[in-house]
Amino acid sequence: MKKKKKWPEDWQDLNPGCMVFEPGSAREYHTGSWRAERPIFDESKCIRCGVCYIFCPEGCISQNKNGYFEADLDYCKGCGICAHECWPRAIKMIEEG
Amino acid sequence: MSKRIGMEIALAAAEAVALCKPDVVAAYPITPNTHVPEHLSDIVAEGRLDAEFICVESEHSALSACCGASGAGARSFTATSSQGLAYMSEIIPIASSMRLPVVMIVGNRALSGPINIWNDQSDIMYQRDSGWISMFAANGQETIDMAIQAFKIAEHRDVMLPVNVNLDGFQLTHVVEPMEMPDQKEVDSFLPPFKPIATLHPDKIVSMGTLGLPEIFNETAKSKDEILKDSRRVILEVWKEWEEKFGRKYEPIEACEARGSDVLLMTLGSMGETAEVAVEEARKDGISVGLLKLKLWRPFPFEELRKAVKGCKVLAVLDRAVSYGGPGGPVFSEVRSAFYDMQERPVVINEIIGLGGRDVPVSDFRKIIEKSVQAIKTKPEEEYEIFGVRGS
Amino acid sequence: MSIVENFDLYAPRLIDKEEYFSAGHRACQGCGEALAIRLMCKALGKDTVVVNATGCMEVISTMYPTTAWNLPWIHVAFPNAAAVAAGVEAGLKVMRRKGRIPDRDVKTVAIGGDGGTFDIGFQALSGTMERGHDVLYVCFDNEAYMNTGIQRSGATPFGASTTTAPAGVASSGKGQWKKNITEIMVAHNVPYVATACHSYPIDFMNKVKKARSIKGPSFIHCLSVCPTGWRVPSAHAIKMGRLAVETGIFPLYEVEEGKYRMTYRPERIRPVEDYIKGQGRFRHLSPDELTAIQKRITLEYNKLLDKVDNLHSWGELQD
Ligand SMILES: Cc1ncc(C[n+]2csc(CCOP(=O)(O)OP(=O)(O)O)c2C)c(N)n1
Ligand code: SF4
Ligand code: SF4
Ligand code: SF4
Ligand SMILES: [Mg+2]
């Protein structure tokens, strides 16, 4: 597979009017690299309410096959909202290291 | 079959636009162009045109709404003048950058201030570098024809750029002339339905008007410039087809008695008609003078210009706008840069005339011809002047 | 009241799983505006066209050659989202009528920041509302021009320090009260106007759904916490929105055909200090200034309750 280029190489390669025809292609960029802290989910405390999923500004929390919630660390920016809002205190932020 | 009509040109322009079946018209009133949107709203109200007529609250919104409609895939039209055009100006270069083929009729009027509602071309010159195709009608017939051609040129696959058609305020907008109005069948066979590059619809998702970082900006500029220059090819094709279908010839520069003339005048817009009268008179008096009527302002017809002045000794460029603190008039500036690399080039003088509706009778053109004849021998001291200004 | 209003425990099951505003966008950590957009899109669903004014949300979502949007999206400029939306709506309407696009409802939704709504985009917004276009306009109000670096807007609250109305020896930040955009929209007599906040996601999404279903213009004023501009920890973004509501600073209500209704009424209104003290932009305020703010907020809140109790719906005219 040809590696996707970050920028169109030549002026002829630009889409007309700089339109973008690949919806959701921002996912190519991984905002996870911005993170200073990461959320750790404790399944034993989780009641699977989905509050964390609702409040994540990145939309990067989803339910795994066991019904528990987890963050996609490719995109998680480490804002700490999920940990702050999880009322059973099932999420802890720990420093990246 | 085309029909002979006698009508105010602004109304005829609206009739011509209606024949192109725009889907959305968004416009705001301003003298001297108000009759165009007024008449279009009449046509919609009479049920002769199935379009959404948006009575926007400003010209900024008029062009913005046209951009939105065009992005959605609708054929869009607006019309304005002077302050209205200036008020749109934030959106004007965006429309071309986004490749939205909006068509606009500009009834040229002086930009304030002082506020003035009469004709010159300072309004459109202020928008010169905005990436639009820009053409000038010299009379009512050309207004009708260009309004229809504009849609075909704008929406051509290789172009997809907005087009402005200019006609001088009052001098043209408010004048009743005999014209030929094509009929619906003729226009339908000339103008195919609008097929946009993309449409704002969930069935095929697109993002329009994205952010361009420095890493791509030079390339976007190059692309804009190349596409606008290349539109010349399409414009010439469309004009050729027009001539075949309707028998009226269009060229970027129309030459009248130009070949072999020592002196040439060059005009833009309706002053060409008065200039023609002066040139005919002068020729009867034995003066070797001809006329170039510039019709295509952007993309600028450099090649045609260089050909048109072959053998001429003095070219008098007549502008109806001033590039303050700069080279004189905007047309003059283009013309001189066109000639820079020519071995044999005419002396070029620049007369800025008819600002803010100041009358320019035939006699004034005669004076300019005289001055040009003198310039064959002695180059005038001043490169440009505002003609007939008191106190100088 | 539990931590999330009306939050039935398994609410996530009820909301659209699709992410129409995808990860990879460049908003700051904990951006309330990005969250609000994500929630709005879920409530709108796929048959939507989004028209975005210039501002943080446009800049962080569409760096060419990529886009975070999974919905048809257009941005033209800063002041004109409402006008562009009017054009999109008119275009879609006429093309549908002429059979050029599928015969189904596609809603046009314009979005703008407070700058793009209260200030520079105000005229276009008023025009679009007055003309009755079938457009939902959502203002994501983070109370300053954030994209250009936290300058004061007509939405900035009294006393907040911004980069153009900074607090200093001779100034206490912004010296004017926040413009009441919601009431101005109500005065346009549009069928639906509401306030909302991302901290009450179900309330917000219900309002978006209601506005979407109404034919004609509607307006939602969504308070959106900007941790960067408000100088609060990113983890507090949701909490701050909740405090704005619980202190009565930003009441949640809707106005349907002129009839006011509180959609969430805290049992006890907390002192404004609870909201203000956690934010860097208010740090300089004196106790006297706090008292003045408290008085004004209480007054405004009571004025609103009067409207809830006394104002009639023009729906009554049909009876
Ligand atoms: C006509 C014009 N003036 C100024 C700007 C610069 N500008 C871009 S975004 C912005 C502020 C946006 O503020 P707001 O609408 O509140 O959105 P936010 O970034 O806070 O989400 C400004 C001043 C511009 N792009 N266009
Ligand atoms: S908020 Fe906490 S308890 Fe609820 S699903 Fe997320 S991790 Fe589990
Ligand atoms: S820390 Fe922030 S970005 Fe990361 S998963 Fe939690 S809410 Fe999402
Ligand atoms: S500055 Fe504020 S509104 Fe803008 S992206 Fe950052 S957090 Fe969001
Ligand atoms: Mg803002």
Side-chain angles (χ1 to χ4, degrees), chain C residues 86-133:
Chain C
V88 170
E89 183 256 0
L92 292 175
K93 185 154 101 190
V94 65
M95 290 194 298
R96 187 175 167 193
R97 186 162 78 223
K98 292 180 179 179
R100 299 220 304 266
I101 53 170
D103 185 20
R104 66 171 200 269
D105 270 320
V106 172
K107 186 83 178 186
T108 305
V109 178
I111 61 175
D114 47 299
T117 307
F118 287 60
D119 295 347
I120 202 167
F122 187 63
Q123 170 182 310
L125 171 64
S126 179
T128 292
M129 292 286 137
E130 179 271 326
R131 289 189 303 270
H133 291 274

Side-chain angles (χ1 to χ4, degrees), chain B residues 71-88:
Chain B
R75 181 173 286 164
S76 312
F77 174 80
T78 188
T80 191
S81 276
S82 176
Q83 302 312 110
L85 189 66
Y87 200 36
M88 274 182 189

Side-chain angles (χ1 to χ4, degrees), chain B residues 272-288:
Chain B
E273 308 276 293
T274 328
E276 204 172 335
V277 176
V279 165
E280 272 166 26
E281 278 184 21
R283 288 182 73 86
K284 278 196 198 123
D285 294 347
I287 299 170
S288 171

Side-chain angles (χ1 to χ4, degrees), chain A residues 40-43 45-53 61 63 67-70 82-83 85-91, chain C residues 9 12:
Chain A
I40 302 290
F41 290 68
D42 180 348
E43 292 189 356
K45 289 188 187 157
C46 174
I47 58 157
R48 294 184 275 184
C49 64
V51 164
C52 53
Y53 157 78
I61 298 180
Q63 220 168 354
Y68 292 101
F69 286 79
E70 58 192 18
C82 54
E85 297 307 317
C86 169
W87 36 300
R89 307 227 170 280
I91 308 175
Chain C
L9 271 190

Side-chain angles (χ1 to χ4, degrees), chain A residues 4-8 13-31 34-37 47-61 63 69 75 77-82 84-87, chain C residues 2-4 7-13 15-19 21-32 34-35 38-39 42 61 63-71 198-202 205 233-239 242:
Chain A
K4 206 154 169 148
K5 286 190 201 112
K6 203 163 167 208
W7 315 111
D13 302 333
L14 290 173
N15 287 339
C18 288
M19 293 180 201
V20 178
F21 299 108
E22 293 90 31
S25 48
R27 292 186 76 85
E28 286 166 17
Y29 181 76
H30 288 181
T31 50
W34 301 8
R35 198 172 51 237
E37 289 183 342
I47 58 157
R48 294 184 275 184
C49 64
V51 164
C52 53
Y53 157 78
I54 287 229
F55 283 132
C56 174
E58 313 309 315
C60 72
I61 298 180
Q63 220 168 354
F69 286 79
Y75 302 104
K77 293 175 186 165
C79 68
I81 287 179
C82 54
H84 195 269
E85 297 307 317
C86 169
W87 36 300
Chain C
S2 81
I3 199 142
V4 181
F7 206 91
D8 113 45
L9 271 190
Y10 300 99
R13 300 231 173 108
I15 73 172
D16 192 341
K17 283 279 178 308
E18 194 67 37
E19 297 295 343
F21 185 67
S22 86
H25 65 71
R26 313 311 204 256
C28 314
Q29 295 165 320
C31 173
L35 168 60
R38 175 180 166 247
L39 297 170
K42 282 175 181 288
S61 66
M63 260 172 219
Y64 186 82
T66 66
T67 178
W69 293 89
N70 269 315
L71 291 172
H198 51 59
S199 302
Y200 298 79
I202 306 297
M205 289 164 80
S234 57
H236 291 183
I238 309 302
K239 176 174 109 176
R242 211 177 280 127

